[in-house]
C-alpha cells in the first residue's frame, strides 16, 4: 500500500530506508548492491513543504515515527467525493 507524507518543515528531510526495518516490513529488498556485494539502503527525500508517496513500510522506521510524533511530517489523507 502507498501512503503520502508531507514535510511540514522549512528544510529538506532525508530518511534512510534501513534494510532491517524497511525491507523486512515491505517483504522484499529495495537496497542496491555494491560491487563488493554489500547492501546499500535507499532513501526517501522530502523537500520542504512537499508531499511524496512512499510504501507504508516507511512507517516502521524509527526516524519516520519520531518525525511524525514531532509534527515534522504528516500523513496526508486522500479526499473522497463521498460516492
Amino acid at each position: 500500500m502507498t501512503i503520502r507524507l508531507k514535510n511540514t518543515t522549512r528544510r529538506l528531510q532525508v530518511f534512510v530506508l534501513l534494510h532491517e526495518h524497511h525491507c523486512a516490513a515491505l517483504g522484499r529488498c529495495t537496497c542496491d548492491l555494491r560491487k563488493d556485494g554489500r547492501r546499500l539502503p535507499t532513501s526517501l527525500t522530502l523537500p520542504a513543504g512537499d508531499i511524496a508517496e512512499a510504501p507504508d513500510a516507511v512507517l516502521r522506521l524509527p526516524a519516520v515515527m519520531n518525525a511524525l510524533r514531532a509534527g515534522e511530517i504528516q500523513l496526508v489523507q486522500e479526499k473522497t467525493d463521498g460516492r
Side-chain angles (χ1 to χ4, degrees):
M1 186 166 96
T2 301
I3 60 168
R4 293 167 44 105
L5 296 172
K6 180 178 181 178
N7 181 352
T8 59
T9 68
R10 294 172 59 186
R11 61 183 164 76
L12 178 76
Q13 293 195 53
V14 178
F15 299 98
V16 177
L17 304 178
L18 299 171
H19 178 77
E20 297 79 23
H21 299 282
H22 182 259
C23 296
L26 198 56
R28 62 181 170 81
C29 186
T30 61
C31 298
D32 292 326
L33 284 180
R34 295 180 3 171
K35 289 182 181 181
D36 63 3
R38 294 177 63 195
R39 287 189 179 103
L40 183 64
T42 55
S43 63
L44 170 64
T45 303
L46 294 172
D50 258 4
I51 297 173
E53 290 187 356
D56 62 348
V58 300
L59 296 176
R60 297 213 180 145
L61 295 170
V64 172
M65 290 188 295
N66 290 338
L68 281 166
R69 280 189 215 109
E72 295 173 353
I73 59 175
Q74 296 178 335
L75 283 172
V76 178
Q77 300 293 325
E78 297 279 335
K79 292 183 179 178
T80 58
D81 59 1
R83 289 182 214 178

